[in-house]
Amino acid sequence: MSNTAPAQFDIIGDVHGCLDELIALLKKLGYSLDEEKAVISKVPHNRTLVFVGDLVDRGPDSPGVLRLVMDAVLHGKALSVCGNHDDKLKRKLQGKDVQITHGLDTTLEQLRDASPQFRGQIISFIDQLPYYLVLDQGRLVICHAGIQKKYIGQQSPKIKAFCLYGRSLGTDEKGYPIRYDWAQDYDGQALVVYGHTVIKDSGFINNTINLDTGCVFGGQLTALRYPEREIVSVPANQLYYPN
Ligand code: MN
C-alpha cells in the first residue's frame, strides 16, 4: 500500500456529504476549483489530498462529495481510505441486505434519480479503496477508525474490521457503541491520521490525530497539513443531522 506520491499531504476528516464545507476547506488549503462542476481544477505544488473516509451519509450532498472526490482520485490529485459509511453504501448499491440507518437514508434519497452508470461508478470507486494507506516511506498511516502498531503492513479481515469500525466494548444506555480508545495505547513511530469518532477539536495523542470534528453535526470540517502538522478547519454552515 506504499506509493511514491510526494510526501506532502492535506488530509481531510469525515466529510459526510458536506460539500459546501469541503469546497471552503479546499480553498483555504490553496486548491482551485471549477465551481460549476464542483471538481478540483488545480492542486498546490507537490501536494496530494487524502481523505480518511466517511465521504457520505447524513449531510446535504453526498453525491456531490463523491463526484468531487472520485474525480480527484481518478486524476491522481487525491487518495482515500474507505470508511464504514462508504462501505455500507457500496453494499446497499450492490443489492445486499443492509440496515438503512445512521444517515444512509439521506444518501439513498439523494441518489434516487442517479443513473445506473453513476451508481456503478460509486460501487467500483468504493470497492477499490484501501482500508489503510502507508505513506511517506512508512512515516504516515491513514485509516478511518484506527489501527494498531502490530497491524501496520499486514492485511486480514480482522484488520479491515478494525480499520473501518474500531473495536466496540459494548453499547451505552442510548445504544451507541463504547469504543476501545486504541490511540491511548498506540506507541508506533508512524503518525496515524484517522476519523470516525466525533471530537470537538483535533489534537495529537501518542503520535495519532483524529480529524473528525463533526461537521455534519454542526461542528467543523478539519484538515491536517503534513508534514507541517498544521490543523486547518472551517465551521459547518449549519447543523445538518442532530446527534
Ligand atoms: Mn464518520
Side-chain angles (χ1 to χ4, degrees):
M1 286 194 183
S2 294
N3 74 34
T4 53
Q8 295 179 64
F9 302 100
D10 297 309
I11 310 156
I12 314 274
D14 300 40
V15 181
H16 284 299
C18 295
L19 182 62
D20 291 344
E21 289 83 355
L22 175 59
I23 289 172
L25 182 58
L26 291 175
K27 286 185 185 166
K28 200 168 172 178
L29 292 165
Y31 290 73
S32 304
L33 284 107
D34 177 334
E35 296 276 349
E36 210 170 305
K37 294 189 204 146
V39 294
I40 295 168
S41 51
K42 198 163 184 292
V43 171
H45 183 62
N46 264 346
R47 299 196 77 88
T48 303
L49 264 182
V50 189
F51 291 88
V52 304
D54 275 8
L55 301 169
V56 301
D57 290 354
R58 299 189 175 119
D61 194 354
S62 291
V65 170
L66 281 170
R67 242 178 240 112
L68 187 153
V69 177
M70 285 160 61
D71 179 84
V73 170
L74 183 70
H75 292 98
K77 298 167 184 168
L79 301 166
S80 182
V81 295
C82 190
N84 54 308
H85 284 262
D86 312 312
D87 184 62
K88 199 172 167 195
L89 172 64
K90 179 198 79 177
R91 287 186 284 121
K92 176 64 190 170
L93 293 177
Q94 286 173 326
K96 303 205 171 128
D97 185 22
V98 303
Q99 283 192 300
I100 314 297
T101 51
H102 306 295
L104 177 58
D105 54 332
T106 53
T107 305
L108 295 176
E109 176 63 25
Q110 290 158 13
L111 285 171
R112 201 183 41 189
D113 300 324
S115 65
Q117 192 183 358
F118 185 49
R119 287 163 187 265
Q121 286 167 348
I122 295 170
I123 295 171
S124 349
F125 170 72
I126 297 175
D127 209 34
Q128 55 80 45
L129 294 177
Y131 49 90
Y132 72 93
L133 276 168
V134 179
L135 301 170
D136 193 18
Q137 297 174 309
R139 287 184 279 260
L140 176 65
V141 172
I142 313 290
C143 54
H144 180 62
I147 199 161
Q148 294 187 274
K149 185 172 73 173
K150 64 183 178 194
Y151 292 162
I152 297 171
Q154 313 284 318
Q155 310 282 330
S156 77
K158 183 173 119 181
I159 297 170
K160 179 179 180 181
F162 194 96
C163 288
L164 284 180
Y165 297 95
R167 183 174 296 150
S168 173
L169 302 174
T171 49
D172 67 13
E173 66 279 2
K174 281 170 142 181
Y176 284 100
I178 300 164
R179 289 169 177 172
Y180 164 59
D181 193 357
W182 64 275
Q184 292 293 343
D185 294 334
Y186 179 76
D187 64 352
Q189 293 291 308
L191 172 66
V192 179
V193 185
Y194 68 107
H196 188 59
T197 301
V198 177
I199 49 164
K200 193 170 179 300
D201 292 297
S202 293
F204 290 91
I205 298 169
N206 291 337
N207 221 12
T208 76
I209 184 166
N210 175 355
L211 299 180
D212 187 4
T213 46
C215 186
V216 80
F217 301 114
Q220 313 167 74
L221 187 63
T222 295
L224 178 74
R225 308 190 83 215
Y226 175 95
E228 298 87 346
R229 292 188 173 227
E230 180 194 339
I231 293 167
V232 180
S233 295
V234 295
N237 294 340
Q238 63 179 90
L239 190 162
Y240 296 104
Y241 199 88
N243 62 343

